[in-house]
Amino acid sequence: MPTPVAEAPNVTDDGLYLDGIPHDRFAEMRRTPGLMWHPYRDGGFWAVARHAEVKEVSRTPEVFSSAVGHTNLWDLEADALEARRGLIDTDAPDHTRIRRLVASGFTPKNIKAWTDTVGELTDELLDDAEAAGTVDWVDALAAPLPIRVILALLGVPVEDADHLVELSNFLVEGTSEQQSLPPDAFGNTTELRLLPFNSPASHALFEYGEALAARKRAEPADDIVTTLVRAEADGERLTGSEFRNLFHLLVFAGNETTRTALTHGAMALADHPEQWQRVLDGDVTLEQATEEVLRWATPVLHMRRTTTTATELAGTRIGAGEKVVVWYASANRDETAFDDPFTFDVGRTDNPHFAFGGGGPHFCLGAFLARLEIQVVLGAMRDRGLRLRRTGEPVRVPSNFVHGVLSVDMELAR
Amino acid sequence: MSEDVVRMQVNPETCIAGGQCELLAPDVFEIDDDEVIAVVQGDGRLDRKVALEVIDRCPSGAISIVEPDEAAGGG
Ligand code: HEM
Ligand code: SF4
């Protein structure tokens, strides 16, 4: 680490996030010229807090690699990294090959075709929530909607959905310190450190994915798992481990993130009724409101890259093999990128937020799907003339990585 | 070609087929379902202002403006 560099205020202590994102600390990083060095465990990382540099790192994958080390703050041992390697922690050309195999299912046109399905699921959940009057918003809507939608896209039969919802909930739990499953749950015999989230539920999900693939080879259908197994036939093979990890990623990646966006969105709209009124009155489009919900929520707080060579960023020298962490949570409140970044304003017309990443090859695969889900929920609430009122405080996930909310009580009334 | 209209091209090696371009300029970009990359429709002409926006939003840096010498004979 070259000198002199300023040491960053601590933003990795999970406990900080029980009170929300430590925005004042990120503001200090944005104000400080150059990059700050953040100590972490027995090493540290360069903290990238400004919008412009988050963008630069994200779009320069040759220098800022996703395949070296890990995309989380800590390093994985080499065998664990190999066992888990999928899309997120791969560089070109492997990344391009895998990403294209799956991308065709997620283009704007193909996602649009799911609008009615998302609408029906949303209506069912909102009917029940309205009948109850006061609900835990996470339980009632934000958690069940995204998992049901992704299972439908993947082609998981309805009768298996509950099993997968359960597995997915165990995975969410696996992102925190407490795990309620014994290591041999679901017949797991793999060492936990080789499994995503160190969770035996990952083993069960792998097994399920393989059984489903076998089924789709025999009976192809119009869904994403069929696309993946069909690609096999065309010679563009995914390895067994790539398929397992991709299936796992698809079930998980869109789940907790979209849940978080729907929850922070509902909280913000309840706390700023004048903003919701603009949506009700049709003064702003659902698309505009959705982008602001995404910026405000920033469900994924950061991602990590590792330098492949010595380089320079914001005038700071960075050595080869050093960790660089891009903080979307900070970029999305950058004063130089947004007018009044701390104002929740559903009418923004220029909203270059980085909720889905700063661009570059790893830009969120599910961005259009997540947007569709949020737009459909806001649209359904608008058409019903629903208003939200908070009746309790949110219980937050203590995590420096996901901006999660475990529960928040809401009253729904017309 | 007027000053304010440019022609677009997509680098098939780097495009990740996310479709940001199709969303912003559906008349010019379309994701080809077989090749799974963005392909330029017709002569790929786009208003310069929109073009710069699309280039900025393309996550993989795959979109660029065809420079006049590359376009010789085409426009
Ligand atoms: C509001 C909801 C969501 C948010 C905020 C979100 C956020 C992100 C972020 C920040 C990244 C990393 C970008 C980077 O490294 O540059 C990412 C990648 C990814 N997301 Fe999402 N995501 C959401 C929903 C979804 C959904 C619904 C899916 C559906 C399958 C999904 C699938 C993925 C995948 C597969 C990747 C890895 C892409 C790659 O490495 O090529 N996400 N997402
Ligand atoms: S936005 Fe860029 S990466 Fe995405 S489909 Fe268009 S050209 Fe390809």
Side-chain angles (χ1 to χ4, degrees):
Chain A
M1 160 176 140
T3 47
V5 287
E7 191 165 300
N10 182 343
V11 290
T12 56
D13 179 359
D14 286 326
L16 286 170
Y17 293 81
L18 281 172
D19 300 321
I21 297 170
H23 282 299
D24 50 334
R25 300 185 181 200
F26 286 114
E28 181 189 335
M29 289 189 206
R30 289 195 299 275
R31 276 196 308 272
T32 308
L35 297 182
M36 297 179 100
W37 177 258
H38 193 302
Y40 181 76
R41 300 200 181 164
D42 48 6
F45 57 82
W46 296 103
V48 180
R50 282 179 295 267
H51 191 271
E53 283 119 32
V54 169
K55 182 168 169 177
E56 188 177 339
V57 169
S58 304
R59 296 178 189 210
T60 320
E62 318 80 62
V63 177
F64 302 100
S65 164
S66 294
V68 181
H70 194 194
T71 48
N72 288 137
L73 296 180
W74 58 91
D75 282 318
L76 288 177
E77 290 161 54
D79 56 343
L81 188 62
E82 279 320 306
R84 293 179 182 197
R85 207 181 277 289
L87 192 61
I88 284 197
D89 33 25
T90 310
D91 288 339
D94 283 340
H95 177 263
T96 323
R97 172 178 52 91
I98 305 173
R99 174 99 187 198
R100 279 195 195 150
L101 279 179
V102 67
S104 57
F106 289 90
T107 59
K109 197 171 55 199
N110 290 345
I111 289 303
K112 226 175 169 175
W114 291 92
T115 309
D116 291 346
T117 309
V118 177
E120 284 156 23
L121 289 168
T122 302
D123 276 330
E124 271 173 39
L125 296 168
L126 278 180
D127 283 347
D128 290 349
E130 262 203 88
T134 300
V135 293
D136 170 3
W137 179 258
V138 180
D139 235 23
L141 186 120
L145 182 64
I147 180 77
R148 305 259 162 206
V149 169
I150 191 70
L151 293 181
L153 259 80
L154 287 169
V156 170
V158 196
E159 63 272 19
D160 295 347
D162 287 341
H163 174 54
L164 285 175
V165 169
E166 186 197 22
L167 292 181
S168 148
N169 287 339
F170 281 124
L171 291 179
V172 174
E173 189 186 272
T175 60
S176 71
E177 296 291 313
Q178 320 106 8
Q179 298 221 19
S180 58
L181 290 173
D184 61 352
F186 304 109
N188 177 50
T189 53
T190 309
E191 260 183 274
L192 291 187
R193 65 183 187 88
L194 297 179
L195 291 170
F197 309 111
N198 304 316
S199 171
S202 291
H203 162 80
L205 202 51
F206 285 165
E207 299 250 292
Y208 183 87
E210 273 160 21
L212 186 64
R215 210 140 113 196
K216 299 292 174 184
R217 273 186 211 105
E219 288 170 52
D222 196 5
D223 56 47
I224 288 173
V225 171
T226 302
T227 310
L228 295 176
V229 298
R230 186 172 293 148
E232 259 176 21
D234 294 345
E236 279 237 48
R237 296 192 64 102
L238 287 172
T239 66
S241 140
E242 283 170 351
F243 174 82
R244 276 198 298 280
N245 283 308
L246 188 55
F247 180 78
H248 187 288
L249 179 64
L250 291 173
V251 170
F252 185 75
N255 225 326
E256 161 116 8
T257 47
T258 312
R259 162 191 316 197
T260 303
L262 289 169
T263 304
H264 282 290
M267 281 161 52
L269 290 167
D271 293 347
H272 303 275
E274 78 293 348
Q275 295 297 319
W276 180 235
Q277 193 62 46
R278 296 169 77 189
V279 179
L280 285 176
D281 294 345
D283 291 344
V284 300
T285 64
L286 295 174
E287 285 82 0
Q288 275 173 299
T290 296
E291 295 311 302
E292 183 65 348
V293 161
L294 284 161
R295 183 185 77 90
W296 199 249
T298 316
V300 178
L301 300 173
H302 71 255
M303 281 281 173
R304 167 195 152 191
R305 301 291 189 261
T306 307
T307 49
T308 54
T309 141
T311 186
E312 194 177 309
L313 186 66
T316 300
R317 293 288 309 158
I318 302 178
E322 295 187 350
K323 297 180 188 179
V324 174
V325 176
V326 287
W327 290 92
Y328 311 128
S330 176
N332 281 348
R333 296 291 185 281
D334 188 332
E335 301 71 7
T336 63
F338 303 96
D339 295 332
D340 300 324
F342 288 91
T343 304
F344 179 68
D345 173 3
V346 293
R348 286 178 195 274
T349 46
D350 187 27
N351 196 345
H353 68 75
F354 287 162
F356 295 122
H362 295 278
F363 184 81
C364 176
L365 173 74
F368 294 112
L369 180 59
R371 287 182 165 127
L372 176 70
E373 292 178 41
I374 300 167
Q375 285 165 14
V376 166
V377 170
L378 294 181
M381 285 173 39
R382 180 192 62 188
D383 296 346
R384 289 169 186 237
L386 274 184
R387 286 171 208 275
L388 296 174
R389 199 170 66 80
R390 274 224 255 163
T391 52
E393 286 303 311
V395 180
R396 293 172 189 271
V397 180
S399 163
N400 62 34
F401 180 57
V402 293
H403 192 198
V405 174
L406 292 173
S407 66
V408 58
D409 288 340
M410 292 273 181
E411 183 187 77
L412 290 75
R414 298 212 183 198
Chain B
M1 201 183 297
S2 113
E3 278 295 301
D4 299 307
V5 177
V6 292
R7 284 180 51 201
M8 310 305 295
Q9 60 189 358
V10 172
N11 178 348
E13 297 298 315
T14 50
C15 168
I16 55 166
Q20 300 284 323
C21 52
E22 184 176 291
L23 199 72
L24 286 164
D27 294 342
V28 171
F29 300 97
E30 193 180 316
I31 304 296
D32 181 304
D33 286 334
D34 296 324
E35 300 293 324
V36 197
I37 46 169
V39 290
V40 172
Q41 307 294 297
D43 62 6
R45 281 165 202 250
L46 200 57
D47 188 74
R48 180 180 290 275
K49 206 167 146 264
V50 183
L52 295 177
E53 167 88 10
V54 178
I55 290 170
D56 184 56
R57 291 292 168 101
C58 168
S60 70
I63 302 178
S64 57
I65 292 175
V66 183
E67 294 306 330
D69 52 337
E70 292 178 65

